[in-house]
């Protein structure tokens, strides 16, 4: 198995990638990969035909048959079959024709290795880190809120959207950043789009990142505050991760499977032990923490996690949390297959067209696509894919598994969250997700309000709410907004039918709450580190020293600035009478999708400059959709005269009420709360104008760059110069026979100074 000899098409010059003859092959010959893909045995054909038929049947049951009820099992099969087909065929098409990775080239993790930010990391560990970093609040909360519009719109957007938009964005940004030394999205925009477009992208990405990380941190605070069980169990993941990092670095390098088992056992012990400790008097006193001190603790953690070497805390902690994330979602999927719960929610509800839903204001288009801000398409992922992950990846071909595959996994999380929300009684769903202003915060008020909606088949009773609250161990479930409690009730409702019965609902409910907190906290620490990289790249345009990520003073300084920024917004959120940043959550979805449009615009310019116009549609189609959706949503939020939709309309309504001497109005029950609404809606409106203006500038300059590339037939590139690789690693989750054979050559060679040094 010799090293490759051909250069991928689209390269401007023939790079010198001559391999050291003393080393085994660092890459498989391209003909070997092509032969493996072209080998279609009768068994292989039969498997893929079965997958296609099962997927087709599932979609027919969901979208065509659409009886009074639909079985939840079809959601699981439709998702898995579509993901498998999308990954095997569409992502492979992108890899083969558009990106054309070359494993003879060293990645930044190899040629920039510093043991801190740049460290070649085992693909399985890195998949865990990347998935944990991208999978924050969005795939859990957004689908739950969007369930009010019916099951079909959200299902189609999550499953189809991820295959053609979300996973494509993640894959392309990761690959292009890796080829550019791990540069941030904002810096890539400046390099590709020029001063105007690049500056707009830098400002947009930095400000949106602050908002996103602050909202993620607030969701963690709300989930863990006053929960001794959650605080102990989530807190224990930190020393466990430190142990795993040191174990792989110093004691048993490369023994990923070994430490995975140890870490999993310790994680389960932390979960079980958390419940036991929370039940003691001393444990409840020690780990029962209010919101403000918990927020300060998370701010301090974010700073420390962002400056420590990535192999010590960030990567192993994210890998550890991935066990729980994928394990819990896999457990829920299996439970759905076993229980086969019936869904009584209509395919498309009346609120999808009227736009008057009590959970999310606005019609299906465009607000469904910004409410489900992750799971189908997420701009936040582009920041991770151009932040920590490209600095850790071993080989170029691994970008498909980590970038495209990681996003498919997050999409499956979103589908499971949607099914969990749909599986509970529809009346209970609206009682939990309607605001206290609508329900009065009481059981009786919730029953009256929900029944007044006139929903077919909904007949909510006080006993249903009180019994559900009792089953999950809560004093009340009325107006538990935000999506997370609803997901927990849904998960508990399904899991208790498999294990433990109704007596175990409280356990499953609190297990889900802790799962969500752990799920989101991993996005906070990774997001902080990425924010530091972004600020370093931006400042590096004026002070070149900041571009050196190994300069610890610069790293500490930029980390402190970004943590202070999102920390200030977080503190505002936990001290404001209306939650402050809670009111900013609608802006989170729009800002996130505007960021996705910016990322896709940058990718389009890069593809055009590579002269690959034949495949430009791969980027242009999702970009056009994301741009239309997000710009339309932004315009409605800015200019709508309906107070429940438009920021300035709501601001005017509350300002008028204050001027008239009202002491309560709408969702606000006090003058202080009314003033908070006025203040927050003004901030939202101004930020919306800024974000959409910056996004339009970036998209316009990207179109201009694309046209110039077409007109001049330019084939320029801002990629780093190719450096010959001196390491080998398989490309997917499971090594192919050819990869195993090459790996054996590396494992069996005499010990020399050329052995690869990896973060894990």
């Amino acid at each position: 198995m010799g090293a490759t000899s051909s250069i991928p098409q689209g390269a401007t010059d023939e790079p010198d990638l001559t391999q050291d003859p003393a080393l085994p092959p660092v890459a498989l010959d391209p003909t070997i990969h092509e032969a493996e893909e072209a080998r279609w045995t009768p068994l292989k054909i039969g498997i893929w035909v079965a997958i296609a038929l099962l997927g087709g049947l599932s979609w027919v049951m969901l979208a065509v048959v659409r009886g009074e009820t639909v079985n939840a099992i079809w959601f699981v099969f439709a998702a898995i079959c579509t993901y498998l087909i999308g990954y095997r065929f569409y992502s492979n098409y992108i890899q083969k024709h558009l990106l054309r990775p070359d494993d003879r080239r060293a990645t930044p993790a190899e040629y920039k290795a510093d043991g801190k930010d740049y460290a070649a990391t085992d693909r399985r560990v890195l998949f865990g880190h990347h998935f944990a970093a991208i999978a924050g609040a969005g795939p859990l909360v957004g689908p739950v809120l969007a369930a009010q519009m019916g099951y079909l719109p959200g299902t189609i957007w999550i499953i189809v959207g991820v295959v053609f938009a979300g996973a494509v964005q993640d894959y392309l940004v990761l690959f292009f950043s890796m080829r550019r030394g791990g540069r941030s999205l904002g810096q890539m925009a400046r390099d590709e789009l020029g001063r105007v477009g690049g500056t707009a992208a830098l400002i947009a990405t930095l400000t949106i990142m602050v908002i996103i990380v602050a909202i993620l941190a607030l969701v963690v605070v709300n989930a863990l505050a006053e929960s001794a069980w959650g605080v102990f169990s989530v807190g224990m993941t930190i020393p466990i991760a430190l142990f795993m990092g040191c174990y792989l670095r110093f004691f048993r390098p490369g023994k990923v499977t070994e430490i995975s088992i140890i870490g999993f056992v310790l994680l389960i012990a932390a979960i079980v032990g958390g419940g036991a400790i929370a039940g003691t008097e001393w444990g409840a006193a020690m780990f029962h923490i209010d919101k403000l001190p918990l927020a300060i603790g998370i701010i301090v953690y974010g700073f420390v996690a962002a400056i420590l070497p990535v192999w010590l805390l960030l990567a192993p902690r994210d890998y550890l949390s991935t066990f729980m994330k994928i394990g819990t979602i896999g457990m829920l999927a299996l439970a759905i297959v076993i229980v086969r719960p019936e869904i009584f929610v209509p395919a498309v509800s009346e609120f999808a067209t009227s736009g008057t839903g009590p959970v999310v204001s606005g019609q299906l288009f465009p607000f469904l696509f910004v409410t489900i801000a992750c799971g189908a398409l997420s701009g936040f992922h582009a920041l991770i894919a151009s932040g920590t992950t490209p600095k850790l990846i071993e080989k170029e071909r691994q970008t498909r598994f980590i970038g495209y595959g990681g996003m498919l996994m997050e999409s499956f999380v979103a589908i499971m969250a949607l099914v969990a929300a749909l599986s509970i009684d529809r009346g209970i769903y609206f009682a939990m997700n309607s605001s206290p202003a609508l329900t009065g915060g009481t059981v009786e008020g919730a029953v009256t309000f929900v029944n007044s909606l006139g929903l077919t088949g909904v007949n909510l009773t006080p006993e249903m709410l009180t019994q559900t609250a009792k089953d999950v161990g809560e004093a009340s479930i009325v107006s538990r907004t935000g999506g997370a409690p609803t997901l927990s009730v849904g998960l508990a409702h399904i899991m208790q039918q498999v294990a433990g019965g109704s007596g175990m609902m409280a356990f499953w409910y609190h297990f889900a709450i802790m799962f969500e907190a752990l799920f989101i906290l991993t996005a906070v620490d990774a997001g902080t580190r990425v924010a530091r990289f972004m600020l370093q790249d931006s400042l590096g345009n004026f002070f070149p020293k900041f571009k050196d990520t190994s300069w610890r003073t610069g790293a500490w300084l930029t980390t402190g600035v970004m943590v202070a920024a999102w920390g200030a917004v977080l503190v505002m959120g936990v001290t404001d009478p209306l939650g402050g940043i809670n009111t900013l959550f609608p802006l989170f979805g729009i800002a996130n999708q505007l960021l996705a449009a910016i990322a896709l615009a940058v990718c389009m310019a890069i593809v055009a400059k590579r002269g690959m116009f034949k495949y430009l549609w791969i980027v242009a189609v999702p970009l056009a959709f994301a741009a239309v959706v997000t710009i339309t949503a932004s315009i409605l939020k800015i200019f709508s005269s309906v107070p429940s939709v438009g920021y300035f309309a709501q601001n005017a309504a509350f300002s008028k009420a204050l001027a008239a001497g009202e002491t309560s109005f709408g969702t606000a029950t006090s003058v202080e709360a009314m003033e908070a609404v006025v203040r927050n809606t003004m901030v939202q409106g101004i930020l919306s104008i800024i974000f959409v203006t910056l996004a339009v500038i970036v998209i316009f300059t990207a179109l201009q760059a694309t046209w110039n590339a077409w007109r001049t037939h330019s084939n320029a590139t801002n990629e780093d110069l190719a450096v010959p690789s001196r390491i080998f690693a398989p490309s997917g989750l499971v090594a192919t026979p050819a990869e195993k054979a090459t790996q054996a050559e590396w494992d069996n060679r005499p010990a020399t100074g050329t052995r690869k040094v990896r973060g894990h």
Side-chain angles (χ1 to χ4, degrees):
M1 264 161 261
T4 59
S5 57
S6 62
I7 293 298
Q9 299 177 43
T12 55
D13 298 297
E14 181 83 15
D16 181 12
L17 296 174
T18 304
Q19 183 184 328
D20 185 342
L23 295 176
V26 299
L28 298 183
D29 191 283
T31 57
I32 296 176
H33 290 296
E34 293 170 5
E36 289 177 338
E37 292 172 5
R39 191 181 302 122
W40 284 90
T41 63
L43 176 61
K44 190 175 179 181
I45 294 172
I47 290 173
W48 282 108
V49 168
I51 290 172
L53 290 175
L54 179 58
L57 174 63
S58 301
W59 279 113
V60 167
M61 296 301 295
L62 291 173
V64 180
V65 175
R66 288 167 53 173
E68 290 187 7
T69 65
V70 61
N71 198 292
I73 197 173
W74 299 119
F75 292 87
V76 177
F77 290 153
I80 292 176
C81 293
T82 304
Y83 297 154
L84 289 173
I85 293 171
Y87 183 81
R88 170 59 182 85
F89 297 100
Y90 190 54
S91 72
N92 188 53
Y93 178 86
I94 295 172
Q95 174 181 258
K96 183 177 180 181
H97 296 288
L98 179 60
L99 299 183
R100 300 163 183 170
D102 186 352
D103 276 351
R104 296 176 306 158
R105 295 177 62 138
T107 64
E110 184 180 354
Y111 67 81
K112 285 189 172 186
D114 61 6
K116 297 181 179 69
D117 298 318
Y118 292 86
T121 302
D122 183 276
R123 67 197 184 282
R124 294 158 296 187
V125 175
L126 185 54
F127 180 91
H129 157 70
H130 182 75
F131 170 69
I134 65 173
L140 300 177
V141 176
V144 173
L145 303 181
Q148 79 161 11
M149 297 184 183
Y151 72 77
L152 189 57
T155 300
I156 293 175
W157 170 232
I158 291 170
I159 298 177
V160 178
V162 74
V163 171
F164 294 104
V168 173
Q169 174 211 252
D170 291 17
Y171 185 14
L172 297 188
V173 172
L174 175 58
F175 185 87
F176 292 146
S177 176
M178 174 200 66
R179 278 283 179 94
R180 287 157 177 78
R183 274 173 242 170
S184 67
L185 176 64
Q187 187 58 42
M188 286 197 293
R190 197 175 192 281
D191 294 340
E192 305 296 337
L193 307 182
R195 187 180 299 275
V196 175
T199 302
L202 283 169
I203 296 172
T205 53
L206 280 171
T207 52
I208 291 174
M209 187 62 158
V210 169
I211 297 293
I212 289 175
V213 176
I215 290 175
L216 293 174
L218 180 64
V219 176
V220 175
V221 170
N222 288 341
L224 292 182
E226 303 173 3
S227 171
W229 184 3
V231 169
F232 174 83
S233 298
V234 173
M236 282 302 297
T237 62
I238 298 173
I240 293 173
L242 292 171
F243 166 73
M244 291 175 66
C246 293
Y247 189 92
L248 279 172
R249 184 77 171 185
F250 304 114
F251 304 117
R252 301 277 286 172
K255 301 297 182 180
V256 177
T257 304
E258 187 176 298
I259 193 57
S260 298
I261 296 172
I262 296 172
F264 179 74
V265 172
L266 292 174
L267 177 63
I268 295 301
I271 295 170
V272 176
I277 289 174
T280 65
E281 186 176 339
W282 66 269
M286 181 180 295
F287 296 105
H288 187 280
I289 304 176
D290 292 331
K291 286 186 177 182
L292 184 57
L294 185 60
I296 294 172
I298 289 177
I299 292 170
V300 173
Y301 166 76
F303 178 83
V304 174
I307 60 175
L308 286 177
V310 70
W311 59 264
L312 180 60
L313 177 60
L314 193 66
R317 188 185 180 286
D318 287 353
Y319 181 55
L320 179 67
S321 69
T322 297
F323 277 116
M324 186 172 180
K325 292 181 178 184
I326 295 180
T328 301
I329 294 301
M331 179 178 66
L332 178 59
L334 182 61
I336 289 171
V337 173
I338 295 172
V339 176
R340 300 189 301 279
E342 291 291 327
I343 303 298
F344 292 88
V345 176
V348 182
S349 77
E350 49 272 75
F351 299 124
T353 53
S354 69
T356 59
V359 180
V360 179
S361 299
Q363 296 180 335
L364 187 151
F365 183 88
F367 291 106
L368 171 80
F369 306 100
V370 294
T371 300
I372 302 179
C374 296
L377 176 65
S378 171
F380 176 71
H381 296 188
L383 302 182
I384 301 297
S386 62
T388 53
T389 308
K391 298 175 177 66
L392 303 174
I393 200 160
E394 291 177 300
K395 306 295 287 183
E396 288 198 349
R397 290 182 67 89
Q398 293 176 353
T399 52
R400 177 188 174 204
F401 165 58
I402 293 167
Y404 199 97
M407 181 55 185
L408 292 182
M409 189 66 232
E410 196 210 54
S411 180
F412 191 57
V413 172
I415 281 293
M416 291 298 96
L418 180 64
V419 172
L422 295 169
S423 68
I424 67 175
D425 180 84
R426 201 175 178 208
I428 294 176
Y429 168 84
F430 282 106
M432 292 187 69
N433 289 283
S434 299
S435 70
L438 298 174
T439 64
T442 65
V443 170
E444 294 75 15
V447 170
T448 301
F449 169 72
V450 172
N451 289 335
S452 72
L453 294 174
L455 302 174
T456 304
V458 173
N459 184 25
L460 188 64
T461 65
E463 291 74 22
M464 293 168 66
L465 293 176
T466 54
Q467 185 59 49
T468 302
K470 181 180 178 182
D471 288 342
V472 299
E474 292 286 336
S476 173
I477 60 168
V478 173
S479 294
R480 295 293 302 276
T481 57
T486 304
L487 173 59
S488 299
V489 170
L491 186 145
H493 173 69
I494 294 172
M495 291 306 303
Q496 59 91 13
Q497 298 179 62
V498 176
S502 59
M504 282 288 287
M505 272 196 74
F507 168 82
W508 288 118
Y509 175 84
H510 287 93
F511 173 86
I513 288 290
M514 191 200 61
F515 155 74
E516 291 170 288
L518 179 62
F519 205 105
I520 299 164
L521 186 59
T522 52
V524 173
D525 50 28
T528 302
R529 197 178 197 95
V530 171
R532 185 252 286 185
F533 291 143
M534 292 164 57
L535 186 57
Q536 282 186 279
D537 268 351
S538 301
L539 292 176
N541 293 309
F542 308 99
F543 309 101
K545 181 69 172 175
F546 278 98
K547 283 189 179 290
D548 180 9
T549 57
S550 64
W551 182 40
R552 304 323 294 170
T553 302
W556 283 54
L557 180 62
T558 49
T559 300
V561 171
M562 296 308 292
V563 169
W566 67 255
V569 182
L570 172 62
V571 171
M572 180 190 77
V574 299
T575 57
D576 194 279
L578 286 186
I581 200 171
N582 273 335
T583 315
L584 289 174
F585 193 82
L587 183 63
F588 165 79
I590 295 176
N592 194 37
Q593 303 306 65
L594 282 172
L595 192 56
I598 289 172
L600 288 167
V602 174
C603 289
M604 181 178 69
I606 292 174
V607 171
K609 289 185 176 183
R610 296 177 90 197
M612 310 185 81
F613 290 95
K614 182 179 179 181
Y615 305 105
L616 195 65
W617 62 269
I618 293 173
V619 190
V621 171
L623 169 59
F625 183 79
V628 170
V629 165
T630 51
I631 292 173
T632 302
S634 297
I635 291 173
L636 288 173
K637 280 291 185 182
I638 294 168
F639 295 107
S640 175
S641 59
V642 180
S644 62
V645 175
Y647 294 134
F648 293 114
Q650 189 176 25
N651 178 278
F654 276 81
S655 297
K656 185 178 179 180
L658 280 170
E662 303 269 358
T663 56
S664 65
F665 184 77
T667 57
T669 57
S670 66
V671 172
E672 186 182 23
M674 293 169 67
E675 292 172 342
V677 172
V678 171
R679 181 174 60 252
N680 290 336
T681 50
M682 181 58 68
V683 172
Q684 286 175 304
I686 293 173
L687 286 177
S688 292
I689 294 172
I690 294 172
F691 290 160
V692 74
T693 302
L694 292 172
V696 169
I697 291 172
V698 172
I699 293 171
F700 177 78
T701 53
L703 290 171
Q704 192 174 40
T706 301
W707 169 252
N708 289 338
W710 168 267
R711 183 172 52 83
T712 61
H713 302 288
S714 170
N715 203 15
T717 178
N718 287 302
E719 294 180 357
D720 283 5
L721 293 175
V723 177
S725 177
R726 298 177 61 83
I727 64 175
F728 173 80
S731 57
L733 176 63
V734 179
T736 65
E739 289 173 335
K740 289 179 180 177
T742 303
Q743 186 65 61
E745 292 185 53
W746 281 84
D747 294 340
N748 295 330
R749 77 189 192 285
T752 67
T754 60
R755 281 191 180 275
K756 64 179 174 181
V757 178
R758 293 162 51 169
H760 290 278

